[in-house]
Amino acid sequence: MSAVLTRPVGPDSHAGIEPCTHCDARPYSVCNAIGDCDLARLAALAQVMEVPQGTTFIAEGEPASHFFNITRGTAKLFKLLPDGRRQITGFAMVGHFLGLAVSDTYAFSAEAIEPIRFCRFHRNKLRALLEDFPAMESRLLEAAANELVAAQEQMLLLGRKTARERLASFLVMQCSQAMPAAHPHCQFPLPMTRGDIADYLGLTIETVSRTLTVLRKEGLIDVPGPGVLVLRDRAALEKVAGGLS
Amino acid sequence: MSAVLTRPVGPDSHAGIEPCTHCDARPYSVCNAIGDCDLARLAALAQVMEVPQGTTFIAEGEPASHFFNITRGTAKLFKLLPDGRRQITGFAMVGHFLGLAVSDTYAFSAEAIEPIRFCRFHRNKLRALLEDFPAMESRLLEAAANELVAAQEQMLLLGRKTARERLASFLVMQCSQAMPAAHPHCQFPLPMTRGDIADYLGLTIETVSRTLTVLRKEGLIDVPGPGVLVLRDRAALEKVAGGLS
DNA sequence: CGGTCACTTGATCGTCTTCAATACCAGTGG
DNA sequence: CCACTGGTATTGAAGACGATCAAGTGACCG
């Protein structure tokens, strides 16, 4: 990580004063396993940081010194082949935990697709903390199990679905993530570029663009502006996503 | 799971007498986190079972009542689309743990590709056990983290690698799994069919067969018999697998 | 022997990629 | 104000890789 591009949040910042008690991510993240009374101990280990859009704050292959917890914004996680081909393995939103890997180097890279804030912990210090808070370890296991399920779903998408099915799956998933309630008609932000979507779905930018155009002309979706998307017919999209048309 | 096709191993069986102490999987599996003295408690919960090749012993979408631990043979884990398209998300060998999912239904199916033996545990009983043995929970978390890394690698393969690169990656991985030592010249069993390999790599049977033929004619591999494979030039295969040719 | 099954090989087809041109927007500086 | 730039998105035409369709082989088995 480039030291120039990252900076700890100063004492004037809200998050700087009470890094955990009032954290935006607390309701969503694994740290909610720790009671308010013990939170100070966690806060003592946390280093809150903000980085601008485009910052690579985890680099594949580098020594894995920290755990990360996203508290604002979205990051993309990806792996690269030597010739530049890229596969985005996921998007980490508020509450997402990064760096679980047992290995001593990171298995993937992470880059901010918006200005983001995260807190980070030294691995060995957090490991010691985990021994005192088994509840947090349980939550981590739970989170890992959920990610594993999502990864298997993504393998099905990458290995067996058509471009049309991939886009439909992606949009439905993004929608349900943004709006837990299953509204039939839903609008939500789409902070990633076409290139990011393509690298997430194993397609090219052109195919993503073309397929979105088709879905739009069919009246299944609408693109009112850059970074915004509307599902006009969510039920139909879910059918397409499931391979039923 | 069909009750007809599975059967608990009787008291005459070796595994039936001491399900854990002398288990083949113990050195490789998460249960090695439990000391010999406490092993009886684990054994009391374990139900050792054997099923023949072809048995589907976990079915996607069914109530997730058990955890599983493979102790002999190999199983394939897969997800299906309504029209029959199939994606194999992994092969579970000796020591592999299944059923971590938080959800109340299984997220994937599992089928024996050889005659296999496994032990299974009721989820709620095992959960209670985990509270008394945090070391086991740590091992589970470790295992889950490793699987997550493997899943990300597989996403890179499915999303961005060519058929040739996929086969090379698969063979190198199978080899290093079978023989931890990095012999330049290595022979190992390949229990899965071409169809299984295809569904694991997101290809068709024909493409798998053709690509293996090419690799064979290039002298990179050899197929001495059905279910057996030899890497003639492992270094070259690793280059191909990494996208370097 | 006829049966099935797994695998191989060939010919053709189609989806997605590649290459290319264009449009658009924001920022910058003449 | 407008030209210039770089990044992002859209659209078109041509091409390639893998899929599909089809035939044939060999092994195993009743």
Side-chain angles (χ1 to χ4, degrees):
Chain A
M1 167 166 45
S2 164
V4 177
L5 289 175
T6 62
R7 58 183 178 85
V9 171
D12 56 304
S13 155
H14 173 195
I17 302 173
E18 304 180 345
C20 291
T21 324
H22 296 108
C23 175
D24 293 337
R26 185 149 159 70
Y28 310 108
S29 188
V30 289
C31 36
N32 66 9
I34 294 184
D36 286 358
C37 47
D38 294 317
L39 214 52
R41 225 184 116 190
L42 181 67
L45 298 180
Q47 184 180 15
V48 180
M49 304 189 87
E50 280 181 357
V51 304
Q53 178 177 1
T55 311
T56 300
F57 60 96
I58 298 179
E60 181 178 354
E62 285 195 1
S65 54
H66 293 84
F67 289 99
F68 298 82
N69 202 354
I70 309 289
T71 56
R72 184 184 303 171
T74 307
K76 58 187 176 195
L77 318 179
F78 59 94
K79 290 175 73 76
L80 291 171
L81 287 172
D83 62 358
R85 279 175 286 171
R86 187 178 60 164
Q87 178 64 40
I88 293 182
T89 57
F91 296 100
M93 329 266 283
V94 171
H96 202 109
F97 209 77
L98 300 176
L100 257 182
V102 178
S103 155
D104 50 355
T105 59
Y106 294 117
F108 55 85
S109 302
E111 179 185 326
I113 67 176
E114 309 171 291
I116 66 171
R117 172 179 292 179
F118 56 81
C119 54
R120 60 176 209 184
F121 310 83
H122 270 287
R123 287 168 70 88
N124 37 19
K125 287 181 186 169
L126 191 66
R127 206 178 299 277
L129 190 82
L130 281 184
E131 291 183 6
D132 294 346
F133 297 102
M136 178 134 175
E137 194 154 39
S138 293
R139 288 280 288 118
L140 276 179
L141 182 57
E142 192 183 320
N146 283 330
E147 281 197 56
L148 219 38
V149 170
Q152 289 165 348
E153 187 67 39
Q154 190 69 0
M155 286 188 228
L156 176 63
L157 181 150
L158 292 170
R160 289 303 180 211
K161 288 187 182 177
T162 66
R164 181 181 169 82
E165 290 162 356
R166 293 183 200 200
L167 258 301
S169 305
F170 172 71
L171 295 177
V172 168
M173 196 192 64
Q174 288 298 310
C175 177
S176 50
Q177 232 168 270
M179 325 183 63
H183 291 103
H185 190 278
C186 107
Q187 170 163 348
F188 56 95
L190 208 64
M192 58 288 285
T193 67
R194 297 287 183 271
D196 290 337
I197 298 174
D199 284 346
Y200 181 55
L201 300 180
L203 301 169
T204 59
I205 294 180
E206 294 92 329
T207 300
V208 170
S209 181
R210 269 186 260 271
T211 308
L212 285 179
T213 301
V214 171
L215 292 176
R216 189 160 42 75
K217 288 184 177 167
E218 291 174 344
L220 297 185
I221 64 171
D222 199 13
V223 188
V228 184
L229 210 127
V230 177
L231 303 195
R232 288 224 162 286
D233 189 345
R234 182 172 172 149
L237 278 171
E238 279 172 353
K239 273 194 161 186
V240 174
L244 288 173
S245 81
Chain B
M1 169 166 47
S2 164
V4 177
L5 290 175
T6 61
R7 57 181 178 84
V9 171
D12 54 303
S13 154
H14 173 195
I17 301 173
E18 303 179 344
C20 290
T21 325
H22 296 110
C23 175
D24 294 337
R26 185 151 158 70
Y28 310 108
S29 189
V30 290
C31 35
N32 65 9
I34 295 186
D36 285 358
C37 48
D38 294 318
L39 213 53
R41 227 184 114 190
L42 181 67
L45 298 179
Q47 183 179 16
V48 181
M49 303 186 89
E50 280 181 356
V51 303
Q53 179 177 0
T55 310
T56 300
F57 60 97
I58 298 179
E60 181 177 354
E62 285 195 1
S65 54
H66 292 84
F67 289 99
F68 297 82
N69 202 355
I70 308 288
T71 56
R72 184 184 303 172
T74 306
K76 59 187 177 194
L77 319 178
F78 59 94
K79 289 174 74 77
L80 290 171
L81 287 172
D83 62 359
R85 279 175 285 173
R86 187 177 62 163
Q87 179 64 39
I88 292 182
T89 58
F91 295 100
M93 329 265 284
V94 171
H96 201 107
F97 209 78
L98 299 176
L100 255 181
V102 177
S103 154
D104 50 356
T105 59
Y106 294 117
F108 55 85
S109 303
E111 180 185 325
I113 68 176
E114 308 172 291
I116 66 172
R117 172 180 291 179
F118 57 81
C119 55
R120 61 176 209 185
F121 310 84
H122 269 287
R123 287 169 71 90
N124 37 20
K125 287 183 187 169
L126 190 66
R127 204 177 299 278
L129 189 82
L130 281 183
E131 289 182 8
D132 295 346
F133 296 102
M136 179 136 175
E137 193 153 39
S138 293
R139 289 280 287 117
L140 275 179
L141 182 58
E142 192 183 319
N146 283 330
E147 280 198 57
L148 220 37
V149 169
Q152 288 165 348
E153 187 67 39
Q154 189 69 358
M155 286 189 230
L156 176 64
L157 181 150
L158 291 170
R160 289 304 180 209
K161 288 187 181 178
T162 66
R164 182 181 168 83
E165 291 161 358
R166 293 182 200 200
L167 259 300
S169 305
F170 172 70
L171 295 176
V172 168
M173 197 192 64
Q174 288 297 310
C175 176
S176 51
Q177 235 169 269
M179 323 185 64
H183 290 103
H185 190 276
C186 105
Q187 170 164 348
F188 55 95
L190 208 64
M192 58 288 285
T193 68
R194 298 288 183 270
D196 290 338
I197 298 174
D199 283 346
Y200 181 55
L201 300 179
L203 301 169
T204 59
I205 294 179
E206 295 92 328
T207 300
V208 169
S209 181
R210 269 186 259 271
T211 308
L212 286 178
T213 300
V214 171
L215 293 175
R216 188 161 41 76
K217 288 185 177 168
E218 290 174 345
L220 298 184
I221 65 171
D222 199 13
V223 189
V228 184
L229 210 127
V230 177
L231 303 195
R232 289 226 162 282
D233 190 345
R234 181 173 172 149
L237 277 171
E238 279 172 353
K239 273 194 161 186
V240 175
L244 288 173
S245 82

